[in-house]
Amino acid sequence: MNRITRRAVLGATLAAPAIAQAQTWPSGSIRIVVPFAPGGSTDAVARLAAPGLSQRLGVPVVIENRSGAAGSLGTQVVATARPDGQTWLLTFDSHATLPALLPNLPFNLTRDLDPVMLIGGAPYVIATRPDKPYRSLADVVAAARARPDGVSYGSTGNGTIGHLTMILLGSRANIRMAHVPYRGGGLAVNDTVAGHVEMMIGSAAVVAPHIAGGTLRPIVQFGPERLPALAQVPTAVEGGFAGLEAEAWWGVFAPHGTPDAIQARMFTALKESFQEERVNRTMTETQQARVVLGDKAMFGPFLDRQIAQWGGLVREFRIQAD
């Protein structure tokens, strides 16, 4: 004979409103906040997913770019939003450095945001204009030694993983380079192509289309192995820097308290959207990304490791926000 306990009744009573809310969700257009300027890889990933999400959820999906303060401005919009499933964050790897970079954040990264999906990642790449003299990592190191602070590079901002990777390279090679931070990968690409900076570091996702188009030339990649599309480009490890690896990643977050059922529906819609043949091919071939589509059970521990690794470097090198 089944015995109905008070705890079971209470649990069902508390769950009922969340289930009802999930069944009526979404109640209007969905907003996905990208905390960086248009034109970068994070913006591109969000816009790839949007049509599929709109089709599956039956409402418009609006991508809102809210750049500034190392991505914290847009992130705060989501961290303080109502947890009703209408506002989501799609962000980049620099998310993990925010607590160390901005210790007085008006929100708590892990308490105010729930990890929903680890979309995937791509190795970082240093790229330059084809007419620049840098053809290898050794060329970059030699030039930086000859002209301390005279060789410039762009990144998506102070304290981002790309910037930290260059800081590590400088420390290991005993060189100093001039860092020019931007509010997004697209802006860094534009200035590199225009010749305003000597080179840039960005994810393979943001530089690959420009490499394919001939406006940028790759110098070195920071993945554990060579990408098939960059088979002629050595890794930093091959260049003599053992252990110097860095991969970009993209993830989706919800305001804390968003009902689990809504998060589950969003995860499913995201997964199906990124599994569409066109979207998946664009991610893997055009943007050279490794598609993971990991759930919160994978994403949560992954994020904790990223915060510990890269946040530790921010504190070690005393990096400050732009």
Side-chain angles (χ1 to χ4, degrees):
M1 178 177 174
N2 293 331
R3 181 167 175 261
I4 300 176
T5 65
R6 181 176 180 275
R7 178 177 294 180
V9 172
L10 179 61
T13 301
L14 293 174
I19 293 172
Q21 186 180 5
Q23 289 173 342
T24 59
W25 177 83
S27 58
S29 63
I30 287 175
R31 175 174 61 155
I32 298 180
V33 176
V34 172
F36 302 101
S41 65
T42 312
D43 181 64
V45 170
R47 294 182 190 280
L48 273 175
L53 286 174
S54 181
Q55 178 184 3
R56 287 168 175 83
L57 299 174
V59 296
V61 174
V62 179
I63 307 301
E64 182 178 316
N65 298 90
R66 297 286 293 268
S67 63
S72 67
L73 295 183
T75 302
Q76 183 180 354
V77 169
V78 182
T80 57
R82 290 181 59 188
D84 56 7
Q86 301 303 128
T87 303
W88 304 81
L89 175 72
L90 197 158
T91 192
F92 196 47
D93 53 37
S94 57
H95 184 78
T97 69
L98 287 179
L101 192 64
L102 301 167
N104 295 318
L105 280 174
F107 60 89
N108 185 287
L109 199 71
T110 53
R111 286 201 303 264
D112 296 334
L113 292 164
D114 292 343
V116 176
M117 172 181 278
L118 175 60
I119 297 169
Y124 272 94
V125 176
I126 297 178
T128 188
R129 266 174 48 145
D131 61 351
K132 295 293 183 181
Y134 315 106
R135 296 188 173 275
S136 68
L137 184 54
D139 290 342
V140 174
V141 170
R145 283 178 178 162
R147 294 185 289 133
D149 293 321
V151 178
S152 61
Y153 72 93
S155 82
T156 54
N158 280 356
T160 57
I161 308 303
H163 177 216
L164 293 172
T165 302
M166 295 298 282
I167 291 289
L168 279 175
L169 173 64
S171 176
R172 296 274 299 273
N174 194 27
I175 57 174
R176 296 199 318 268
M177 300 177 67
H179 177 222
V180 182
Y182 292 87
R183 287 192 171 188
L187 299 174
V189 166
N190 291 344
D191 268 14
T192 306
V193 171
H196 300 314
V197 289
E198 294 285 286
M199 63 194 70
M200 68 165 289
I201 182 166
S203 72
V206 76
V207 299
H210 303 275
I211 292 171
T215 55
L216 287 177
R217 183 179 67 235
I219 298 172
V220 64
Q221 53 186 309
F222 289 90
E225 57 189 21
R226 298 188 187 192
L227 285 173
L230 299 176
Q232 304 306 312
V233 182
T235 66
V237 173
E238 291 176 287
F241 294 90
L244 187 53
E245 298 178 7
E247 281 198 298
W249 56 264
W250 306 272
V252 176
F253 294 81
H256 178 65
T258 302
D260 289 343
I262 290 179
Q263 292 192 37
R265 282 191 62 193
M266 184 63 162
F267 176 85
T268 299
L270 282 164
K271 185 174 183 179
E272 291 175 353
S273 297
F274 281 111
Q275 286 176 332
E276 288 182 17
E277 182 180 355
R278 178 191 65 82
V279 175
N280 190 269
R281 185 171 61 250
T282 301
M283 287 286 291
T284 57
E285 296 180 9
T286 304
Q287 304 215 46
Q288 292 299 304
R290 177 175 52 87
V291 179
V292 176
L293 308 182
D295 63 12
K296 65 173 58 183
M298 171 192 287
F299 193 12
F302 171 84
L303 180 62
D304 290 342
R305 293 192 298 271
Q306 290 285 298
I307 291 173
Q309 176 185 353
W310 296 109
L313 286 173
V314 169
R315 287 184 284 267
E316 178 184 348
F317 290 99
R318 299 180 182 180
I319 307 299
Q320 296 182 342
D322 300 348

